[in-house]
Amino acid sequence: MDKRRQIVIVGASGNIGAALFVEAVVRGRTPIGTYHRNPKPGLVEFDLIGNRLHDVAPDLDSHHTVIILAAAIDPDWVFANADEAHAINVEYTQRCIDDAHRAGAQVLFM
């Protein structure tokens, strides 16, 4: 990845996101990492439903790469809350991707 690119990790409090965040810091980058339910040092609060990508990355542009790792993944919760899970995992994730694309940022969705 181009070292001039700013990295935004949506879901940096999870296992993969936390590892990416730490690796970026170790490599001398200054990533923007987000959390929703699991605050960790250096991360900013972000809710796919209530926030927009520009809330955590106000200067979002073509020099950014947005890595999206946030999702509702607990199978019991997803089954019990199918409509809300769909909204989070599909509709609001797509809105986040659209915000990044409109700003010219690259997107990596996992």
Side-chain angles (χ1 to χ4, degrees), residues 16-110:
I16 295 170
L20 285 172
F21 186 84
V22 168
E23 184 65 23
V25 171
V26 166
R27 291 177 181 248
R29 308 293 285 275
T30 308
I32 298 169
T34 72
Y35 74 90
H36 177 57
R37 289 191 181 94
N38 302 312
K40 293 186 178 179
L43 303 184
V44 294
E45 188 173 10
F46 181 79
D47 178 2
L48 279 170
I49 294 173
N51 296 115
R52 299 299 289 255
L53 203 47
H54 282 88
D55 294 337
V56 295
D59 62 342
L60 188 69
D61 64 15
S62 62
H63 295 99
H64 288 77
T65 296
V66 178
I67 302 170
I68 301 176
L69 301 164
I73 60 170
D74 179 296
D76 293 329
W77 186 88
V78 169
F79 182 74
N81 302 278
D83 290 340
E84 189 175 356
H86 182 270
I88 292 166
N89 291 341
V90 178
E91 296 167 26
Y92 292 107
T93 297
Q94 183 63 55
R95 183 178 75 177
C96 188
I97 292 167
D98 291 344
D99 286 347
H101 279 157
R102 273 193 293 281
Q106 290 183 343
V107 175
L108 175 61
F109 175 71
M110 299 174 88

